[in-house]
Amino acid sequence: QKEVEQNSGPLSVPEGAIASLNCTYSDRGSQSFFWYRQYSGKSPELIMSIYSNGDKEDGRFTAQLNKASQYVSLLIRDSQPSDSATYLCAVLYGQNFVFGPGTRLSVLP
Amino acid sequence: SAVISQKPSRDICQRGTSLTIQCQVDSQVTMMFWYRQQPGQSLTLIATANQGSEATYESGFVIDKFPISRPNLTFSTLTVSNMSPEDSSIYLCSVFDSGNTIYFGEGSWLTVV
């Protein structure tokens, strides 16, 4: 059983702080990793994908991948109230996506 | 990325009835997926819809309850049959694009009363 785990939260951070979201996965053979954001009442939208060890930056978002430790994280710098949402980690196994349970982030003004 | 349209976006259904959700993609895609997201829960894969063959269902989901059609490379339907309140969920159509990324439609919010 391929699993993806996340802390369900809620994770609360003050506006302007760095939000750190973590995800672990069970299968070392995984090659592709994704972060989705889901606002309440909306469908998930892709934020970032990462395939290689290390960091990948896109604006205020940085994805970090450590395959040896089987974790992937998402950092959100200068968090804004508009970042308040559920963040889903997804891992691609072959042609099957497995989603984590999501972490609910609340950015407090 | 593909543009995915779902209909209906929202519906209130009577217990025991069936509802068909349509998913239209603006480009040809090989793999389409149907997910369910129950209130406060994460995404659960119902089935993979492959053009020209039977859908592949995940454990806990059966064709009699969730029949799926995939007549071509841009369209699929999911029917939720004989609905009960436990079927109240968001149903999401998604596609697997050439960049090995999955994208979602806007979702269909079903409430069964």
Side-chain angles (χ1 to χ4, degrees):
Chain A
Q1 182 78 359
K2 294 175 171 46
E3 296 182 344
V4 177
E5 297 183 351
Q6 298 178 253
N7 290 327
S8 60
L11 173 66
S12 295
V13 300
E15 183 174 357
I18 296 175
S20 178
L21 305 164
N22 299 314
C23 170
T24 59
Y25 59 95
S26 62
D27 190 332
R28 287 187 177 275
S30 308
Q31 295 297 319
S32 304
F33 308 86
F34 306 83
W35 283 100
Y36 289 81
R37 176 177 63 198
Q38 186 174 25
Y39 291 114
S40 180
K42 300 291 186 181
S43 63
E45 56 179 331
L46 179 69
I47 300 175
M48 292 186 69
S49 57
I50 186 166
Y51 308 101
S52 304
N53 277 329
D55 294 359
K56 179 181 178 182
E57 187 174 317
D58 183 0
R60 296 186 295 112
F61 298 96
T62 299
Q64 299 175 319
L65 175 60
N66 184 323
K67 291 185 179 180
S69 300
Q70 295 175 240
Y71 86 78
V72 57
S73 63
L74 180 70
L75 301 178
I76 306 174
R77 291 183 300 281
D78 187 25
S79 296
Q80 302 297 310
S82 58
D83 295 324
S84 297
T86 297
Y87 290 80
L88 301 167
C89 174
V91 179
L92 179 59
Y93 297 99
Q95 291 185 318
N96 294 316
F97 272 78
V98 179
F99 286 86
T103 298
R104 189 155 56 92
L105 172 67
S106 179
V107 180
L108 307 175
Chain B
S1 63
V3 176
I4 307 163
S5 302
Q6 274 187 246
K7 289 192 297 187
S9 58
R10 193 177 296 272
D11 208 340
I12 299 174
C13 307
Q14 294 295 318
R15 186 192 303 248
T17 62
S18 299
L19 181 78
T20 295
I21 303 167
Q22 299 180 3
C23 178
Q24 180 73 52
V25 188
D26 69 342
S27 58
Q28 294 186 338
V29 293
T30 303
M31 299 183 74
M32 295 177 73
F33 306 92
W34 287 97
Y35 284 85
R36 181 174 75 180
Q37 188 175 33
Q38 295 180 304
Q41 304 296 313
S42 188
L43 302 169
T44 302
L45 181 64
I46 298 172
T48 302
N50 303 307
Q51 194 269 334
S53 64
E54 293 286 331
T56 304
Y57 289 84
E58 297 300 305
S59 176
F61 297 96
V62 295
I63 188 171
D64 289 347
K65 176 67 174 178
F66 297 100
I68 288 171
S69 77
R70 182 80 196 274
N72 57 51
L73 291 174
T74 63
F75 187 78
S76 178
T77 67
L78 169 74
T79 299
V80 187
S81 303
N82 188 25
M83 286 185 284
S84 66
E86 292 72 33
D87 294 318
S88 297
S89 285
I90 306 166
Y91 291 86
L92 292 156
C93 171
S94 63
V95 303
F96 190 59
D97 77 348
S98 57
N100 282 354
T101 302
I102 193 168
Y103 294 95
F104 292 91
E106 307 98 329
S108 297
W109 267 246
L110 300 188
T111 301
V112 184
V113 297

